[in-house]
Amino acid sequence: MPLIKDGAFVEDRFTYVEDDAPLPEGAVIVSFTRWQDEKDALIARGTPLGVKLLSGEEPAPLKGDLDKFDVIALDFPMFKNGRAYSYARLLRSRYGYKGEVRATGDVLRDQLFFMARCGFDAFEVSQRITLDAFKEALGEMSVVYQPASDGRKTVLEARHGG
């Protein structure tokens, strides 16, 4: 899938590795299960590392190891499952994660704005999402009503001089 990061399509330097597959050279993204099972060996490789959390896998168990990950991929299994929004916000706001937070799975154009507000900074998108559509999605709302990880003032804060 094409990857958008920093407002541009970029080559994905990471390889997703199935739990039973051998680890290739270079940067890899492994499942949470594989991370738990092979943590020491994965760290010892000394190569860029990522972990993918499925919809029901909360980020709290990773909080002591966040400095080990270059990327945390959060899965959207279907458009109406929004747990990954909360997980991204927790990673950024509560746990202070500074690395890449990547949206994977059913990443829709209409959700990109809020994904970015919640802390996602990389997006695996379908072929039908163009860079122009991505930029348009991120800029189509000028005011926000809810606080999020992006630090934008809400309408209420702006109204009351906050």
Side-chain angles (χ1 to χ4, degrees):
M1 298 213 91
L3 179 65
I4 298 177
K5 186 170 177 164
D6 298 324
F9 284 109
V10 297
E11 186 173 334
D12 190 354
R13 66 185 183 125
F14 286 86
T15 301
Y16 285 99
V17 183
E18 296 295 325
D19 287 347
D20 57 352
L23 292 169
E25 295 293 320
V28 296
I29 296 176
V30 298
S31 71
F32 178 65
T33 300
R34 189 163 190 172
W35 165 251
Q36 289 178 309
D37 293 344
E38 302 175 28
K39 177 179 177 176
D40 294 335
L42 289 165
I43 294 169
R45 293 178 77 229
T47 59
L49 178 61
V51 65
K52 182 175 183 174
L53 298 179
L54 299 177
S55 179
E57 297 173 330
E58 296 187 21
L62 298 175
K63 65 183 174 185
D65 293 318
L66 291 176
D67 61 328
K68 311 283 190 287
F69 302 113
D70 297 281
V71 58
I72 297 176
L74 301 175
D75 186 50
F76 287 87
M78 63 181 75
F79 78 92
K80 54 188 177 176
N81 184 327
R83 292 181 199 176
Y85 292 108
S86 299
Y87 297 165
R89 180 118 190 247
L90 285 170
L91 285 166
R92 296 293 190 205
S93 299
R94 186 173 296 169
Y95 305 139
Y97 181 66
K98 303 292 185 209
E100 177 182 308
V101 178
R102 181 183 295 196
T104 68
D106 198 11
V107 177
L108 304 176
R109 183 228 179 263
D110 292 348
Q111 297 170 319
L112 293 170
F113 176 77
F114 196 59
M115 286 178 179
R117 292 208 63 226
C118 288
F120 288 96
D121 60 351
F123 309 84
E124 288 182 8
V125 297
S126 71
Q127 296 286 350
R128 67 182 183 270
I129 295 180
T130 65
L131 201 52
D132 286 340
F134 175 79
K135 290 177 181 179
E136 183 179 283
L138 292 189
E140 67 189 357
M141 294 188 204
S142 59
V143 295
V144 297
Y145 292 93
Q146 300 155 320
S149 296
D150 65 356
R152 287 179 63 171
K153 284 186 178 185
T154 66
V155 170
L156 186 61
E157 290 170 330
R159 181 176 295 150
H160 294 285

